[in-house]
Amino acid sequence: MTKRRKSEASKGDLIFLAAILVLAAYGVICVWSASYYNAELQYGDSMYFFRKQLIGFLLGTAGMIGISFLPYEKLRRIRIPSLILSLILLALVFVPGLGKSNYGATRWIGFGSFTIQPSEIAKLGFVIFTAGYFAKDPARMRTLKGCIPVLGAGLAICVLIMLEPNMSVTMCVGAIMIGMLFLAGISKKAIAVICIPVLFAVPVLILAEPYRLQRLSAFMDPWASPKDEGYQLIQSLYGLSNGGFFGVGLFNSRQKYRFLPFAESDFILSVIAEETGFFGVTALFLLIGFIVWRGFRIAARSGNIYGFLLAGGITLAFAVQSVLNALVVSGCIPPTGLPLPLVSAGNTSLIVTMTGMGIVYGVSRHTQP
Amino acid sequence: MAITFLFCLFLARFFYIQVIWQDDLNARALDQWTREIPISAGRGNIYDTNGELLAGNTAAYSIFARANAVTDAEGGSLLLSEALGLSYDDILGKLTDKSHSEIVVAKRVDKSVVQRIEGAEIAGVYYARDDVRFYPYRQLACQVLGFTSYDGSGSTGLEQYYNNFLAGERGEILFETDLVGVDLDGAAAAYIPATDGMSLTLTLDYRIQSVSEQVMEAALKEYNAKAARAIVLDVTDFSVLSMVNLPSYDLNDIPRDDLSALNRLSRNALVSDVYEPGSTFKIVTAAADIEEYLQGNAAAYAPNRIFSSARTRTVDGTTIRCWSDHANGKHSNQTLAEALNNSCNPCFVDIALSLGKETFYDYLAAFQFGRATGLDFSGEAIGMLLPESTLRDCDFARIGFGQTIAVTPLQLACASAAAVNGGRYYAPRLVKEIVDSDGAVIEQTSPVLLSQPIGEEASEMLTSMLEGVVRDGSGKKAYIEGYRVAGKTGTAQKYEDGRIAQGKYVSSFVGCFPASDPRYLALVIVDEPQGAYYGSTVAAPCAKQIFEGIIDIFDLPPVEE
């Protein structure tokens, strides 16, 4: 922790950087494939989502490279502003005129045709805050009392996201929070104290909204309601099965012809599985797994608690989202709206995730080899 | 560690869905990816025993439109409306109706019209075969052949009974579409060909059928009868050669508007309706008696034994009379052969009572009364046979001469055939061969022996007695010089509401030839003839004409000088 650090940046983990770029670029192609039919019908422009994703990719790449030049230690200073910004953006969703609703939930704020999803930013904001908070006084990690500000910040973000409502992102933030506390090394007792109320909260939250119960039962037996609640899951499974071992070939998905809802965003993994088959999915998972492994390795090698928590937290967020998305697409957990990071269409998610990955890369750059 | 484990778990889940669960899911998914236009299968033909076409198809087409694929609705509608003679606006409506994935523009369109439209290649308009059933001989054997419903499946007769064989399997043209049925660009339509139905070859001979129909038609008119029916069997294997039910109807112009008339006209009463057979049933009684006599049963009447000449018999306090007054020496001192010649009722009462219920009912069972003959035809009636256990003697006595029993004409014809062919009762049949659309024989029916009610000797004796009936007795009008016709007449009074209906008779005759080695058997029934009513006058001449027709068709030489 008191290790000597070089003041100027090294090349860092270029392989990690390359893996991120490959995954995001692959995502752009997949978005194109998954969306062109719908884009043509909806917008009269088959490249609509492709173009948007490409812009996001370019901006994300710029953000990723740009932030990696910044010594990551500087982010410690903006831990409070980043939390406040996150909370403000989340709150803005509820301001009439600014908030944009879709599918019965208000999850976006928009200025004209430009929309952003604050919950995506909040995830990164929360990681920056937590890492900075614990790094300031590592002793905080050992007491439950010391963890309270982190818990409070996490809870505040969760409540705001829950009100949108967006259950899956709430769960995702909760998982990141617990994961970060775990990374920080708090006691097992403290983890138990935190986890038990969360476990109790889940059934209550499910019962609070009837649609969640319906989705849950549809998940148990999707063919009981193939036209309603079960539809999405069934369509996702059809996509997977149609892919088989080797897939039907890039751009040849059958399910994207309006059968599979959110084919270019939350369910893009289903289209990928259909087009590239089980082997394609395996390769994709290997790439994602590789990124996660490299991310944690960067964290472990950062040589200081702040770099460890920052890189670890961001990698964790990426891993948690990837896992949850794959669980949804393969019908292991009830369908919820959660993108596959770096791949799904959605610019806020793409830019923020890439920027986050830029921070991780930055940690590797500013680490003594 | 934990990550690797999770990773493997994921892969396992995807592997399960993508590889193991694949077939099941894909089968379900295929259904939503395609829209189909049916291709109807060509229905199998029906041929008579000589290969003459009795039921076939005229090529016709259905025209479909798939609005989502139509590019020039106005032009297409103009062309279609001119070619089909339908309203332009109606067709335009169908060609632009995008709420349906496909819609029928016209059905049963002539081939020539379709060829004209097809040349124009209107995008979004499709053609699928939709044949019209066609019966070259119109009313010939109409109740046997039956007809098909509007959608082409058999509703009555053999068309219904053999529908599974005739129908074939429909095919499909599959179009790949998106969720709402819009055609996908560049996706080829898959064509799943239909499997045409199998063809039937009947035992029926259209020439015999045609002759019997002409004969019965003449009788129907001459006696202004309610109905005239005939059945011709090959007694050697119980092949049905002809089945006539008059009045009939034209299979190409079915009176679908008048359902009750259609039900009446399309009913094969020979199989589905029962009647009181009257004196023709004495064949069965005589057969039982001769067989029992030959078996050494003392209760049986020997062929040379003389029956009582009295006109009446009293059973259970009721009096049974002969139809003849027995005056001036008529019906006196008769043997069995003479009793058959004279159709003397009391003699057959004597036989029945002497043999007893148990023996007699054994013969009824062996002659398949009270059960279906097993003809390959739907709706066969089993007749009405009073149960042996509660049978009163006065009723039993009447069964001896064909009263208080109801049988189908088919049952009587088959029992008579078994009585004269050496005692073998086969299951009667209408279809002798089923051939698939490639010409491969799927099934060939062969005679199935059901029972042997009497032996060869009894059968021969009975046949020669029946020949006597035609030569010397009531069946004279069926006599054909040189061809040794044997037979028995019947005249039954009809019952309505449990009482004898005055002036309503069923005149019948069952006969076969040549008596030396019987081959052809005909049962003729004229229902409610006006003027004459004796079977000997009304029905016997019909059988004679049918037999003459058969002799002509096969150019049969006389069997004796």
Side-chain angles (χ1 to χ4, degrees):
Chain A
M1 196 166 313
T2 53
K3 263 186 187 164
R4 196 167 43 85
R5 262 180 289 113
K6 236 186 190 176
S7 57
E8 70 264 27
S10 69
K11 274 188 192 160
D13 190 345
L14 281 174
I15 295 175
F16 175 78
L17 187 70
I20 301 290
L21 286 172
V22 166
L23 184 59
Y26 182 55
V28 175
I29 294 169
C30 291
V31 165
W32 184 21
S33 168
S35 70
Y36 70 79
Y37 186 75
N38 271 340
E40 177 69 45
L41 287 175
Q42 259 184 294
Y43 302 99
D45 173 11
S46 62
M47 311 285 266
Y48 179 83
F49 288 103
F50 170 70
R51 203 170 283 130
K52 265 185 93 167
Q53 190 75 357
L54 192 62
I55 292 169
F57 174 73
L58 295 173
L59 288 175
T61 307
M64 180 166 72
I65 306 288
I67 205 155
S68 71
F69 282 102
L70 185 79
Y72 67 90
E73 291 283 352
K74 293 215 157 69
L75 289 173
R76 287 173 76 151
R77 283 183 226 147
I78 61 157
R79 63 178 186 276
I80 306 290
S82 74
L83 178 64
I84 289 169
L85 179 71
S86 297
L87 292 172
I88 287 173
L89 285 174
L90 282 172
L92 280 178
V93 164
F94 303 105
V95 175
L98 272 179
K100 297 240 161 152
S101 297
N102 233 337
Y103 313 107
T106 314
R107 297 172 181 174
W108 296 265
I109 51 177
F111 318 94
S113 68
F114 179 72
T115 59
I116 59 171
Q117 197 174 356
S119 56
E120 293 294 338
I121 294 169
K123 279 183 273 190
L124 184 60
F126 175 72
V127 171
I128 291 173
F129 168 75
T130 308
Y133 171 77
F134 280 140
K136 190 162 190 231
D137 179 4
R140 285 168 172 168
M141 290 184 259
R142 299 191 222 307
T143 62
L144 196 56
K145 201 180 141 199
C147 292
I148 283 171
V150 172
L151 292 173
L155 205 63
I157 291 171
C158 282
V159 166
L160 282 169
I161 297 174
M162 212 185 292
L163 289 173
E164 288 179 353
N166 192 341
M167 198 55 193
S168 48
V169 176
T170 308
M171 276 158 57
C172 190
V173 171
I176 293 167
M177 181 175 79
I178 291 164
M180 285 214 64
L181 292 172
F182 183 74
L183 287 176
I186 67 162
S187 67
K188 289 199 176 92
K189 205 180 106 189
I191 289 193
V193 168
I194 295 156
C195 285
I196 287 166
V198 172
L199 287 178
F200 276 107
V202 169
V204 174
L205 288 171
I206 286 173
L207 291 174
E209 285 275 7
Y211 84 90
R212 288 182 189 135
L213 202 64
Q214 282 173 3
R215 279 202 199 169
L216 201 64
S217 63
F219 159 71
M220 303 296 181
D221 180 15
W223 276 278
S225 52
K227 298 255 182 241
D228 306 303
E229 282 77 28
Y231 182 78
Q232 212 170 8
L233 178 53
I234 290 174
Q235 296 305 330
S236 178
L237 292 177
Y238 284 170
L240 261 54
S241 72
N242 193 36
F245 252 116
F246 299 106
V248 294
L250 211 55
F251 292 93
N252 289 338
S253 160
R254 224 24 214 85
Q255 283 294 95
K256 69 187 173 201
Y257 290 98
R258 293 205 259 186
F259 295 108
L260 179 65
F262 305 108
E264 76 285 350
S265 57
D266 297 345
F267 280 88
I268 196 159
L269 183 57
S270 180
V271 175
I272 294 171
E274 186 181 359
E275 296 190 342
T276 66
F278 176 67
F279 280 94
V281 169
T282 308
L284 182 70
F285 284 177
L286 282 172
L287 183 60
I288 291 171
F290 177 78
I291 289 170
V292 172
W293 170 64
R294 269 320 241 230
F296 281 128
R297 204 179 74 146
I298 289 168
R301 290 182 176 183
S302 70
N304 69 84
I305 187 76
Y306 182 64
F308 174 71
L309 284 177
L310 191 63
I314 291 168
T315 306
L316 183 73
F318 173 76
V320 164
Q321 288 190 72
S322 302
V323 166
L324 286 177
N325 183 267
L327 288 173
V328 168
V329 166
S330 60
C332 299
I333 59 169
T336 65
L338 201 67
L340 183 63
L342 295 180
V343 181
S344 286
N347 273 344
T348 318
S349 168
L350 181 61
I351 295 167
V352 172
T353 308
M354 287 184 85
T355 305
M357 289 306 184
I359 294 172
V360 178
Y361 172 62
V363 171
S364 79
R365 288 191 73 182
H366 297 92
T367 299
Q368 190 76 326
Chain B
M1 264 292 285
I3 289 174
T4 318
F5 178 70
L6 253 178
F7 189 78
C8 292
L9 221 59
F10 266 135
L11 284 185
R13 173 66 180 170
F14 275 85
F15 185 81
Y16 173 71
I17 297 170
Q18 295 200 268
V19 179
I20 297 170
W21 200 2
Q22 187 191 9
D23 290 344
D24 181 35
L25 284 174
N26 278 355
R28 293 169 188 256
L30 188 66
D31 202 41
Q32 71 174 12
W33 292 335
T34 54
R35 301 294 159 101
E36 54 283 308
I37 282 181
I39 309 168
S40 56
R43 194 172 173 80
N45 292 332
I46 302 178
Y47 301 100
D48 93 327
T49 189
N50 311 298
E52 187 74 15
L53 185 70
L54 300 182
N57 306 300
T58 310
Y61 292 83
S62 283
I63 300 178
F64 294 86
R66 306 187 61 247
N68 282 316
V70 169
T71 48
D72 176 15
E74 283 82 10
S77 304
L78 195 65
L79 232 136
L80 286 173
S81 67
E82 277 172 6
L84 301 170
L86 298 171
S87 139
Y88 170 82
D89 292 329
D90 282 359
I91 293 177
L92 186 64
K94 286 177 175 175
L95 261 51
T96 50
D97 177 5
K98 300 204 176 187
S99 63
H100 291 82
S101 141
E102 59 269 322
I103 197 163
V104 177
V105 177
K107 287 196 98 173
R108 303 198 163 174
V109 180
D110 228 49
K111 196 174 182 173
S112 59
V113 176
V114 169
Q115 278 168 341
R116 244 178 72 204
I117 310 169
E118 224 173 356
E121 287 187 7
I122 310 165
V125 174
Y126 307 87
Y127 315 92
R129 204 172 74 186
D130 173 29
D131 290 343
V132 179
R133 200 68 165 155
F134 174 69
Y135 303 87
Y137 289 94
R138 306 172 75 90
Q139 89 298 328
L140 185 96
C142 56
Q143 297 91 353
V144 177
L145 297 175
F147 53 83
T148 58
S149 64
Y150 223 68
D151 67 2
S153 72
S155 319
T156 66
L158 291 172
E159 292 273 28
Q160 180 207 4
Y161 189 87
Y162 284 99
N163 190 53
N164 289 345
F165 293 90
L166 291 165
E169 245 176 89
R170 53 168 44 183
E172 280 172 342
I173 307 173
L174 295 174
F175 296 90
E176 298 235 10
T177 68
D178 75 357
L179 179 62
V180 298
V182 177
D183 272 356
L184 300 187
D185 282 341
Y191 184 85
I192 303 171
T195 310
D196 286 347
M198 302 175 190
S199 294
L200 306 180
T201 301
L202 307 187
T203 58
L204 214 72
D205 188 318
Y206 87 101
R207 299 168 299 180
I208 299 175
Q209 177 75 30
S210 176
V211 165
S212 5
E213 285 190 14
Q214 284 165 23
V215 170
M216 297 320 293
E217 183 72 48
L220 184 77
K221 289 217 173 94
E222 183 178 351
Y223 296 103
N224 198 15
K226 190 178 162 196
R229 312 185 198 284
I231 175 168
V232 180
L233 287 179
D234 181 336
V235 302
T236 60
D237 65 356
F238 283 42
S239 295
V240 177
L241 301 176
S242 147
M243 273 188 163
V244 181
N245 289 279
L246 296 177
S248 61
Y249 63 103
D250 184 348
L251 283 168
N252 293 329
D253 184 18
I254 298 162
R256 292 187 200 263
D257 302 335
D258 186 348
L259 271 184
S260 71
L262 180 59
N263 279 337
R264 200 173 60 244
L265 291 173
S266 63
R267 196 173 169 85
N268 188 353
L270 294 168
V271 176
S272 306
D273 286 348
V274 298
Y275 78 121
E276 204 180 55
S279 299
T280 48
F281 196 77
K282 287 169 184 165
I283 293 175
V284 175
T285 311
D289 182 69
I290 296 167
E291 179 65 23
E292 283 301 300
Y293 161 73
L294 291 174
Q295 300 274 340
N297 184 345
Y301 277 72
N304 56 3
R305 184 168 161 192
I306 306 297
F307 287 93
S308 155
S309 302
R311 188 196 176 194
T312 60
R313 300 287 187 274
T314 303
V315 186
D316 278 350
T318 64
T319 303
I320 299 169
R321 283 187 183 78
C322 186
W323 58 275
S324 158
D325 57 12
H326 283 217
N328 307 322
K330 282 187 282 186
H331 294 201
S332 61
N333 302 325
Q334 305 162 99
T335 59
L336 179 58
E338 287 160 338
L340 280 166
N341 284 356
N342 297 331
S343 199
C344 181
N345 293 347
C347 302
F348 293 89
V349 171
D350 292 344
I351 292 172
L353 292 175
S354 181
L355 291 177
K357 288 175 198 170
E358 201 178 315
T359 306
F360 197 75
Y361 263 63
D362 285 347
Y363 278 93
L364 292 184
F367 277 109
Q368 307 293 326
F369 290 107
R371 67 187 77 176
T373 63
L375 182 75
D376 44 350
F377 203 86
S378 297
E380 190 181 352
I382 60 165
M384 283 183 273
L385 191 56
L386 293 172
E388 191 186 338
S389 52
T390 56
L391 185 65
R392 297 182 302 167
D393 280 341
C394 58
D395 291 329
F396 173 52
R398 286 193 163 88
I399 295 176
F401 58 96
Q403 289 183 6
T404 63
I405 183 171
V407 303
T408 66
L410 178 67
Q411 281 176 322
L412 185 74
C414 289
S416 307
V420 300
N421 76 351
R424 285 177 293 276
Y425 195 114
Y426 299 99
R429 64 212 158 92
L430 274 163
V431 167
K432 73 170 184 189
E433 197 173 72
I434 302 173
V435 176
D436 76 8
S437 53
D438 299 325
V441 176
I442 298 301
E443 201 178 315
Q444 233 163 353
T445 61
S446 48
V448 176
L449 186 67
L450 296 182
S451 59
Q452 280 182 278
I454 61 172
E456 289 272 359
E457 198 184 348
S459 175
E460 264 171 45
M461 287 171 70
L462 176 66
T463 310
S464 84
M465 287 181 195
L466 293 175
E467 190 185 3
V469 173
V470 173
R471 194 178 54 230
D472 313 317
S474 57
K476 276 177 189 154
K477 290 195 169 164
Y479 183 77
I480 306 172
E481 182 78 47
Y483 287 90
R484 299 190 63 182
V485 177
K488 182 73 194 80
T489 57
T491 310
Q493 286 195 293
K494 288 186 84 172
Y495 286 81
E496 275 172 6
D497 307 322
R499 241 176 272 148
I500 289 176
Q502 282 303 318
K504 291 188 175 175
Y505 294 90
V506 179
S507 307
S508 60
F509 178 86
V510 58
C512 63
F513 82 98
S516 48
D517 184 15
R519 176 78 194 269
Y520 301 99
L521 177 135
L523 167 62
V524 170
I525 297 170
V526 180
D527 191 9
E528 294 183 24
Q530 308 296 311
Y533 61 86
Y534 281 116
S536 53
T537 355
V538 176
C542 296
K544 178 187 177 178
Q545 289 161 38
I546 291 171
F547 289 154
E548 284 172 339
I550 293 172
I551 290 165
D552 271 359
I553 290 164
F554 298 109
D555 204 12
L556 299 174
V559 290
E560 62 172 17
E561 286 307 310

